[in-house]
């Protein structure tokens, strides 16, 4: 059995109580202190007289602990007679708070009633410090975890952001998630304009979304130039470092601000790192960022910088692809148009608005030059003229990024060192500057210059070909009261205006007329030259004695020496003007179409043989004779009028005969052109050549024209020729022409004012004493305000004609009579 060891001195129980390593308190059940040891007094600074019998235990506690004493400590002690390790803050005599741990035991008398409470008090200052450190460490770990999660989310968003704007939107939300910042903004560096542009912000009332020159003294620009992180902890620090920032922080109520450069370098790397933007974020309450937080901030800057670098490379690749597509599309679009001005207009239409807000092409062609422009607003004319003159002189592009006309470029349109003109344009706001797009714009100007030069050469060749062909075509046909000739030539629209179709009309003798229409195989200059040789050969070989068949046989021998004329087709006719008899022959050509008075149109199918120099079948040429009564019309034409790839030739013959029959009463002037417009139109793939011959003098002129004022001039020309052929004097001729024109104009304007398909019939007869003209319409003549103004026209008719009679039984018929001068 072990025994207690004895110390070499005697322990004093009173001293042990007073100086124990813990405080002792003895209180009554109501908490009044009746005994306290010296240790507690030393810790709290109270005198014994201040506590014993004067204070209760709960009076020494902090306000919050007093409530806990009443709600937890006292009830718990009453129920179980003891409590252990209850944490209370004891308020010391000097107001300090002493962290303590309390153990209390409730003593009871033999009857079970509470008698006293014994309490031990342990100093928990160091323990409380440890606990606070643990709580702070835990909170720091939680905050670090939040920052890491926020950074991970930002990095994931940055990886998925393909454009700079999307990167900025992801970065601007990071400070709030990671550091509980109250506002954030992102500026991106615009290297083309040497400025920073605010592109994203979380606070609409925050920094203005303006552009900051990179050389500015504003804090954002300085951070972008230095590439260093700046933390402004308070307004005083802002006043010292960035006065402008201090004013903004004061105005917006921010206490702490952080300016972070977004660089494409790695952590700790400064050499070679490029600043691509700046992230600023602020706190309404002043705060101190720890080293760990600043490390996360710097890491955020590097991650965002790399994302911006990737987005920039992606934008560059996408822009290059778009530019390449635009250049290829523009080249194709220009090649679709062979003419010069349409190409120039197509160029500016493609440039505006896809590339620029205004563009103009100026070509140094002709005395005044050529201009095609689109868009607005245009630069200052004087400054633009100076730049254009400079570019034309030195052949080098001019780019302007500042001044009154920013983002304006003038580029030479040159080929092989020769400046054809200039392309001037103004870049649209918000897009890259003209200087930044210099490579693309130069490539565009080079391609456009080549396309425009090709168009210029095409038009030059076209003009030469047109001049050549017109010189080779017959001139004005001969004039004679016994006949009239109307011709029309329309070149193919898809090629140069030069081919092998031709017509000719000439007098072999004063009483014999020759008419011919032919077609040489092929197109281009060679075909036109051959056509000219054949035309000259026919004129040279035609004679009064030879006749059509003999002429074609001579042409066969001619084409033996001119290989390019082989297989040419010819429709040739000779008309004896004294007997009104026609002899004709067709060498492989389409049959002529003849209309005699009162008869339907008839194709002349006799006198046919093979093409010139064909060497197939019979070598002898055939001809045929047919009478031509006065008023007959003969139509010679080439295959372009009726041949189509998508229909049979018989259908073409049928359409021509029907259309020609419908125009048999039309004036001869304009007849051939009208046939081409009806059967071919303006878009055709082959040349069309027509010759219409009207034979003899009609005793009675009968014409029908549509309700179109343009037809009046053609009718006047036709009527004049008929009157002259009947030897009507000039005075009477002028009077009849004037009266007839007025009457037809009234019929069109008032009778057919609502019917554009109406027909006006004109009949004229000549006797030895007078000329009588009848104008008939079937329109509805209602009195209108405009009709009243035509009274002067009716008065004019009555003044120039001797008799005027109106018949309004069915429509309106105006009968006018003019006495000839010799009868007067």
């Amino acid at each position: 059995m072990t025994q207690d060891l004895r110390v070499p001195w005697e322990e004093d129980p009173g001293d042990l109580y007073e100086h124990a390593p813990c405080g002792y308190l003895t209180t009554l059940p109501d908490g009044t202190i009746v005994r306290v040891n010296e240790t507690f007094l030393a810790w709290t600074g109270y005198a014994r007289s201040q506590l014993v019998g004067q204070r209760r235990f709960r009076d020494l506690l902090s306000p919050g602990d007093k409530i806990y004493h009443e709600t937890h400590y006292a009830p718990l002690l009453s129920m179980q007679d003891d409590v252990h390790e209850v944490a209370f803050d004891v308020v010391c005599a000097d107001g300090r708070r002493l962290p303590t741990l309390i153990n209390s035991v409730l003593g009871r008398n033999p009857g079970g009633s509470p008698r006293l409470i014994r309490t031990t008090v342990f100093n928990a200052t160091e323990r409380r410090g440890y606990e606070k450190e643990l709580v702070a460490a835990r909170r720091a770990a939680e905050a670090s975890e939040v920052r890491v999660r926020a950074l991970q989310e930002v990095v994931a968003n940055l990886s998925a952001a393909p454009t700079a704007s999307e990167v900025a939107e992801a970065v601007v939300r990071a400070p709030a998630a990671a550091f509980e910042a109250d506002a954030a903004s992102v500026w991106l560096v615009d290297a083309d304009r040497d400025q920073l542009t605010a592109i994203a912000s979380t606070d609409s009332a925050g920094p203005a979304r303006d552009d900051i020159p990179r050389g500015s003294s504003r804090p954002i620009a300085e951070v972008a130039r230095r590439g260093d992180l700046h933390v402004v902890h308070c307004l005083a620090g802002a006043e010292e470092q960035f006065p402008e920032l201090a004013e903004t922080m004061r105005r917006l109520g921010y206490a702490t601000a952080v300016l972070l450069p977004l660089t494409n370098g790695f952590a700790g790397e400064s050499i070679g790192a490029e600043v691509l933007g700046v992230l600023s974020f602020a706190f309404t309450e002043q705060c101190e960022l720890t080293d760990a937080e600043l490390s996360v901030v710097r890491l955020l800057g590097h991650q965002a910088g790399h994302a911006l670098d990737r987005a920039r490379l992606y934008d560059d690749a996408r822009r290059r692809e778009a530019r390449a597509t635009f250049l290829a599309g523009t080249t194709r679009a220009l090649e679709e148009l062979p003419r010069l001005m349409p190409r120039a207009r197509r160029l500016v239409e493609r440039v505006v608005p896809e590339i620029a807000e205004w563009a103009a092409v100026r070509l140094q062609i002709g005395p005044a030059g050529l201009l095609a422009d689109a868009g607005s607003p245009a630069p200052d004319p004087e400054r633009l003229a100076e730049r254009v003159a400079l570019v034309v002189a030195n052949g080098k592009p001019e780019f302007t990024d500042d001044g009154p006309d920013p983002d304006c470029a003038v580029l030479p349109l040159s080929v092989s060192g020769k400046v054809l003109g200039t392309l001037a344009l103004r870049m649209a706001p918000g897009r890259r500057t003209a200087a930044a797009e210099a490579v693309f714009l130069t490539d565009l100007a080079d391609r456009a210059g080549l396309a425009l030069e090709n168009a210029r050469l095409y038009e030059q060749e076209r003009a030469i070909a047109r001049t050549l062909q017109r010189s080779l075509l017959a001139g004005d046909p001969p004039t004679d009261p016994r006949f009239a000739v109307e011709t029309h030539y329309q070149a193919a629209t898809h090629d140069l205006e030069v081919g092998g179709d031709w017509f000719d009309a000439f007098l072999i003798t004063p009483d014999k007329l020759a008419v011919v229409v032919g077609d040489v195989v092929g197109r281009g200059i060679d075909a036109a030259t051959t056509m000219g040789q054949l035309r000259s050969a026919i004129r040279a070989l035609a004679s009064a004695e030879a006749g059509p068949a003999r002429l074609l046989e001579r042409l066969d021998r001619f084409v033996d020496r001119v290989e390019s004329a082989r297989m040419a087709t010819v429709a040739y006719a000779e008309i004896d003007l004294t007997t009104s008899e026609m002899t004709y022959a067709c060498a492989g050509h389409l049959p002529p179409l003849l209309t005699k008075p009162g008869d339907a149109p008839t194709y002349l199918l006799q006198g046919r043989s093979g093409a010139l120099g064909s060497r197939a079948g019979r070598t002898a040429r055939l001809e045929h004779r047919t009478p031509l009564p006065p008023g007959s019309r003969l139509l010679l034409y080439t295959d372009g009028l009726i041949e189509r790839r998508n229909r049979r030739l018989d259908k073409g013959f049928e359409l021509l005969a029907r259309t020609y029959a419908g125009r048999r009463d039309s004036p001869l002037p304009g007849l051939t052109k009208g046939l081409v417009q009806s059967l071919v139109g303006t878009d055709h793939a082959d040349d069309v050549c027509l010759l219409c011959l009207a034979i003899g003098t009609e005793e009675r002129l009968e014409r029908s024209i549509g309700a179109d004022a343009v037809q009046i001039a053609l009718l006047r020309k036709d009527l004049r020729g008929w009157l002259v052929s009947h030897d009507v004097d000039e005075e009477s001729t002028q009077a009849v022409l004037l009266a007839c024109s007025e009457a037809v104009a009234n019929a069109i304007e008032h009778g057919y004012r609502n019917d554009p398909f109406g027909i006006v019939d004109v009949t004229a007869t000549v006797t030895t004493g007078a000329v009588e003209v009848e104008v008939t319409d079937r329109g509805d003549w209602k009195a209108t305000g405009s009709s009243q103004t035509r009274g002067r026209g009716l008065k004019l008719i009555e003044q120039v004609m001797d008799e005027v009679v109106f018949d309004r039984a069915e429509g309106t018929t105006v009968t006018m009579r003019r006495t000839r001068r010799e009868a007067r």
Side-chain angles (χ1 to χ4, degrees):
M1 179 176 180
T2 57
Q3 297 181 353
D4 294 336
L5 296 177
R6 298 175 85 58
V7 295
W9 63 87
E10 290 292 334
E11 282 281 357
D12 181 5
D15 182 66
L16 180 62
Y17 173 82
E18 291 293 341
H19 299 93
C22 63
Y24 280 105
L25 289 173
T26 303
T27 64
L28 298 177
D30 63 356
T32 300
I33 300 173
V34 295
R35 188 173 182 181
V36 59
N37 71 345
E38 190 65 31
T39 301
F40 183 83
L41 296 175
W43 286 350
T44 60
Y46 288 105
R48 196 180 301 272
S49 60
Q50 292 178 301
L51 299 180
V52 175
Q54 301 296 323
R55 306 285 289 274
R56 290 178 298 180
F57 174 68
R58 64 174 177 272
D59 295 336
L60 302 180
L61 304 179
S62 63
D65 288 344
K66 288 179 180 179
I67 296 175
Y68 188 80
H69 181 280
E70 294 176 359
T71 58
H72 291 76
Y73 170 82
L76 187 60
L77 182 62
S78 177
M79 286 187 296
Q80 60 186 24
D81 294 341
D82 61 358
V83 292
H84 302 281
E85 295 185 354
V86 178
F88 282 135
D89 281 350
V90 176
V91 179
C92 301
D94 57 2
R96 291 180 300 104
R97 292 190 178 188
L98 176 66
T100 62
L101 288 177
I102 303 299
N103 294 326
S104 298
V105 177
L106 176 62
R108 297 181 181 273
N109 57 25
S113 298
R115 187 168 64 89
L116 55 82
I117 300 173
R118 295 188 177 90
T119 301
T120 58
V121 181
F122 296 93
N123 189 339
T125 301
E126 293 184 1
R127 176 174 175 170
R128 188 69 60 83
Y130 297 150
E131 290 176 351
K132 289 181 178 181
E133 290 179 2
L134 290 175
V135 171
R138 185 177 65 182
R139 290 178 178 174
E142 292 174 350
S144 178
E145 184 179 357
V146 170
R147 287 193 296 270
V148 170
R149 283 200 303 268
L151 186 60
Q152 289 175 341
E153 182 178 356
V154 170
V155 170
N157 293 336
L158 292 178
S159 301
T163 64
S165 59
E166 293 176 341
V167 170
E169 289 295 336
V171 172
V172 79
R173 294 191 297 267
F179 309 107
E180 298 182 352
D182 296 292
S185 299
V186 174
W187 279 262
L188 296 184
V189 174
D190 187 346
D192 298 337
R193 294 179 172 82
D194 197 30
Q195 64 185 21
L196 290 101
T197 301
I199 192 172
S201 178
T202 61
D203 187 1
S204 58
R209 295 195 172 207
D210 57 356
D211 297 332
I212 303 175
R214 196 144 51 165
S216 170
S217 61
R218 294 177 62 176
I220 298 296
E222 291 195 19
V223 170
R225 290 195 302 271
R226 299 176 187 176
D228 296 332
L229 171 66
H230 282 71
V231 180
V232 181
H233 296 285
C234 58
L235 283 174
E239 292 283 1
E240 180 179 350
Q241 299 181 51
F242 306 112
E244 287 188 37
L245 178 61
E247 177 62 28
T248 302
M249 292 174 62
R250 187 178 295 106
R251 176 170 54 86
L252 300 177
Y254 297 142
T256 299
V258 178
L259 303 178
L260 171 67
L262 309 178
T263 65
N264 59 359
F266 295 99
E269 178 184 4
S270 59
I271 299 177
E274 181 182 2
V275 178
L276 303 178
V278 175
L279 168 65
S280 69
F281 56 95
F283 304 86
T284 54
E285 294 184 4
Q286 185 173 334
C287 64
E288 293 284 340
L289 296 178
T290 64
D291 291 340
E293 290 173 330
L294 291 177
S295 298
V296 174
V297 170
R298 290 188 177 91
L299 182 59
L300 174 63
H302 294 306
Q303 292 290 342
H306 285 296
L308 287 174
D309 201 18
R310 288 194 304 270
R312 182 177 60 177
L313 294 176
Y314 173 78
D315 288 342
D316 289 342
R318 185 174 56 180
R319 186 183 304 110
R320 285 194 296 270
E321 181 180 358
R323 292 295 185 250
T325 302
F326 178 83
L327 289 174
T330 300
T331 301
R332 289 193 300 270
L334 296 182
E335 289 176 350
E336 293 173 355
L337 303 173
R339 305 290 297 277
L340 182 60
M341 279 307 295
R343 281 195 179 186
R345 286 191 289 268
R346 177 69 61 85
L347 175 61
V348 296
E349 288 170 359
R350 286 190 61 84
V351 170
V352 178
E354 186 167 348
I355 302 299
E357 63 178 357
W358 170 85
V361 171
R362 286 175 171 80
L363 302 176
Q364 310 296 315
I365 297 176
L370 301 176
L371 172 65
D373 60 352
S376 62
D380 178 72
E382 294 183 2
R383 290 174 55 85
L384 180 61
E386 293 176 0
R387 295 175 188 165
V388 168
L390 182 61
V391 171
V392 171
N394 59 27
K396 297 180 180 179
E398 287 286 327
F399 300 97
T400 304
D401 290 336
D402 53 11
D405 294 322
D407 286 349
C408 184
V410 180
L411 302 105
L413 300 172
S414 56
V415 178
S416 301
K418 176 186 175 182
V419 178
L420 179 66
T422 59
L423 169 61
L425 50 87
R426 181 204 294 276
M427 304 301 286
R431 298 185 181 178
R432 300 187 73 197
T433 63
E437 296 280 14
V439 175
F440 162 68
L441 294 178
T442 302
D443 194 3
L444 173 63
D446 290 342
R447 295 188 182 210
L450 181 59
L452 293 173
E453 175 65 6
N454 290 339
R456 186 190 69 82
L457 294 175
Y458 169 84
E459 292 206 349
Q460 184 180 41
E461 182 180 354
R462 188 172 184 269
I464 294 172
R466 186 188 304 116
T467 303
L468 172 63
Q469 181 149 12
R470 288 180 177 177
S471 67
L472 294 176
L473 286 173
D476 294 334
T479 58
D480 192 292
R482 294 171 294 181
F483 65 86
V485 177
E486 179 75 9
T487 61
H488 182 71
Y489 179 86
Q490 182 167 298
T493 58
H494 73 286
D495 205 346
L496 296 176
E497 190 178 347
V498 58
D501 294 8
W502 91 94
F503 57 78
D504 199 1
F506 57 93
L507 287 169
I508 302 174
T509 68
D511 295 324
K512 181 170 287 191
L513 172 68
V515 292
V516 60
V517 167
D519 187 359
V520 174
V521 176
R523 293 192 56 77
I525 300 297
D526 292 339
T529 305
T530 302
M531 173 266 290
Q533 292 175 308
L534 277 176
R535 173 176 169 270
S536 300
I538 290 174
R539 286 205 171 206
L541 296 174
S543 65
E545 300 79 14
R550 181 64 175 162
L551 182 138
L552 293 180
E553 291 173 358
R554 292 176 179 178
L555 284 179
D556 283 330
R557 292 192 291 271
F558 172 79
V559 299
D560 285 340
R561 299 188 298 272
V562 182
E563 185 64 26
S564 58
R566 188 174 302 279
M567 301 307 294
T569 64
V570 174
Y572 176 78
E574 294 180 354
I575 299 91
D576 189 332
L577 300 176
T578 58
T579 63
S580 296
E581 186 178 54
M582 178 179 70
T583 306
Y584 68 93
C586 292
H589 204 80
L590 298 177
L593 185 60
L594 176 63
T595 303
K596 296 180 180 180
D599 294 341
T602 303
Y603 286 104
L604 303 181
L605 300 176
Q606 293 77 25
R608 299 191 60 79
S609 55
L612 297 180
S614 60
R615 301 172 184 172
R618 296 178 57 182
T619 57
R621 294 295 178 175
L622 303 178
E623 64 183 33
H624 187 76
R625 296 177 185 271
T626 184
L628 296 181
S632 299
R633 289 182 176 181
L634 177 70
L635 180 67
L636 304 180
Y637 53 94
T638 56
D639 55 4
L641 183 65
I642 62 172
E643 285 189 357
R644 301 292 182 272
R645 293 183 178 180
N646 57 353
R647 74 183 183 202
R648 298 179 59 184
L649 185 59
D650 291 345
K651 184 65 174 177
F653 283 130
E654 179 184 344
L655 288 175
L656 173 58
R658 186 165 59 245
T659 305
Y660 189 52
R663 295 175 178 267
R664 61 184 302 164
D665 294 330
S666 298
L668 183 63
L671 174 62
T672 53
K673 183 177 181 180
L675 286 173
V676 172
Q677 290 176 344
S678 298
L679 297 174
V680 178
T682 57
D683 186 12
H684 55 288
D686 197 3
D687 295 345
V688 180
C689 183
L690 289 86
L691 183 149
C692 187
L693 171 67
I695 294 297
T697 302
E698 302 170 71
E699 293 300 324
R700 177 185 177 90
L701 183 139
E702 296 180 351
R703 299 288 185 264
S704 298
I705 66 172
D708 183 359
V710 176
Q711 299 290 323
I712 298 177
L714 302 177
L715 176 65
R716 284 173 60 90
K717 184 177 180 181
D718 196 21
L719 180 59
R720 173 186 288 277
W722 182 80
L723 292 171
V724 171
S725 67
H726 282 277
D727 296 325
V728 177
D729 60 278
E730 181 62 21
E731 180 182 350
S732 299
T733 297
Q734 292 295 337
V736 171
L737 291 175
L738 179 59
C740 183
S741 298
E742 284 293 329
V744 173
N746 281 345
I748 293 174
E749 182 175 351
H750 302 294
Y752 294 126
R753 63 189 180 280
N754 297 320
D755 183 8
F757 302 103
I759 298 296
V760 180
D761 296 322
V762 179
T763 303
T765 56
V766 175
T767 64
T768 55
V771 179
E772 187 173 296
V773 179
E774 203 174 78
V775 177
T776 302
D777 70 79
R778 296 166 185 81
D780 181 15
W781 285 66
K782 289 186 178 179
T784 61
S786 61
S787 67
Q788 303 303 322
T789 63
R790 298 299 301 175
R792 280 177 285 182
L794 299 178
K795 289 180 180 180
L796 184 60
I797 294 174
E798 293 173 347
Q799 288 177 357
V800 299
M801 302 298 283
D802 296 320
E803 295 180 19
V804 180
V805 177
F806 293 91
D807 182 3
R808 295 186 172 87
E810 293 182 5
T812 300
T813 299
V814 183
T815 304
M816 303 170 286
R817 187 176 185 276
R818 169 79 182 197
T819 304
R820 299 174 65 171
R821 183 173 55 186
E822 54 268 27
R824 290 176 185 272

